Amino acid sequence: MSTQLSAGGAEVTVDQENGCRISSLRIDGTELLRQGPRYGAFPMVPWCGRTANGQFRDGATVHQMPLNHPPHALHGFARDAPWRPAGASATEAAFAYDLTDPWPYPGRVTQVVTLAEDSLTLTMGVETYGDSFPAQVGWHPWFLRNLTAGGPDAEVSFEPAWQEERGDDHIPTGHRIDPKPRPWDDCFGMPHGVDVTLTWPGALALRVTSRAEWVVIYDEEPEAVCVEPQSGPPNGLNTLPRLVTPVDPLEVSTTWTWRRLG
């Protein structure tokens, strides 16, 4: 089962049975997202990117998550689970997911998908049913590198304040370095909010914004370019924990705004 939204020339499909991912985003009939059950644009929750060795500490307790990308735990596990629909209109839909084993804390995740003629806004929230716990949220869109066969490659434009130095194990070392040239599988700091523009020359410009302050850019595969706004850096459950408390839930949004070219 999936949910369809439309506004003007924009059409969105949400596959709530497969991790509440955006399985399709079409502008004037042109698909922007890489197709397939692992792709589209999926939520990363209750952590983003890699958690080192699948372990994180909460106080004196060390919790072990499944190693779904050995030797690490990758992108949370809500992307692999069905979500419940929680209301929809022609241009907006809401979904919910209950945190459960192997996550050690009871809680709920919500995602609201809002479509306009020139933008898509995704809003995700995490709340606890009991004890406080560290968590992260983010999104992992697989934007097509080429919108048409033989078309020009997407160009990435952004001005990060720093790049998180990455160790051989793909875990940030804790050092901030000057941004390096592509190819990237790297996390960048944008302390004034994520602001990245993808441009397909002659076709479309799409701007990804968020008040989140980190973005991972992944462009090492020929089919797609990933622009991933997230509430903390990879391994952030350990290095920069953001506690979800009964009075302070975690909520983050990202907006993708497009402009037709030519």
Side-chain angles (χ1 to χ4, degrees):
M1 179 183 295
S2 59
T3 299
Q4 309 284 334
L5 305 177
S6 63
E11 300 170 288
V12 162
T13 303
V14 185
D15 187 351
Q16 62 259 27
E17 297 296 320
N18 184 21
C20 202
R21 73 187 62 218
I22 309 300
S23 59
S24 175
L25 170 58
R26 298 173 70 88
I27 308 299
D28 300 332
T30 298
E31 181 62 62
L32 269 59
L33 297 174
R34 186 178 182 183
Q35 297 298 285
R38 295 178 53 240
Y39 301 113
F42 58 80
M44 297 184 290
V45 64
W47 70 87
C48 301
R50 294 168 176 85
T51 292
N53 304 308
Q55 296 180 342
F56 71 95
R57 183 181 298 274
D58 186 16
T61 303
V62 176
H63 297 289
Q64 178 69 57
M65 296 293 100
L67 303 182
N68 59 358
H69 192 76
H72 307 305
L74 184 69
H75 296 333
F77 38 73
R79 62 181 172 138
D80 298 317
W83 293 47
R84 300 187 310 278
S89 68
T91 58
E92 184 172 273
F95 306 90
Y97 167 75
D98 290 318
L99 292 169
T100 184
D101 289 337
W103 189 249
Y105 305 96
R108 184 175 69 165
V109 183
T110 56
Q111 176 165 246
V112 179
V113 180
T114 306
L115 181 64
E117 292 187 3
D118 65 348
S119 67
L120 175 67
T121 298
L122 308 173
T123 302
M124 193 155 33
V126 183
E127 59 183 301
T128 176
Y129 290 149
D131 293 337
S132 302
F133 58 80
Q136 294 178 300
V137 300
W139 292 270
H140 195 305
W142 292 81
F143 293 110
L144 288 169
R145 189 181 296 271
N146 311 110
L147 296 184
T148 57
D153 284 359
E155 300 169 354
V156 181
S157 174
F158 68 127
E159 297 182 2
W162 70 83
Q163 179 175 328
E164 300 282 349
E165 183 183 60
R166 172 165 54 88
D168 292 338
D169 59 359
H170 280 255
I171 300 296
T173 65
H175 298 294
R176 293 176 173 178
I177 61 175
D178 291 335
K180 294 183 177 181
R182 62 176 301 271
W184 296 304
D185 182 10
D186 293 284
C187 182
F188 299 89
M190 302 192 80
H192 301 297
V194 170
D195 191 343
V196 181
T197 297
L198 272 175
T199 302
W200 294 271
L204 198 74
L206 184 143
R207 184 183 180 195
V208 177
T209 57
S210 175
R211 64 179 174 84
E213 298 178 10
W214 284 266
V215 62
V216 169
I217 309 289
Y218 175 60
D219 69 348
E220 293 183 344
E221 296 188 25
E223 296 84 2
V225 177
C226 303
V227 179
E228 310 164 35
Q230 47 194 63
S231 65
N235 200 37
L237 291 185
N238 291 302
T239 61
L240 197 69
R242 180 356 180 134
L243 286 182
V244 177
T245 76
V247 296
D248 188 18
L250 172 60
E251 183 175 290
V252 180
S253 295
T254 181
T255 297
W256 310 346
T257 307
W258 49 83
R259 179 170 53 90
R260 296 163 178 86
L261 306 176

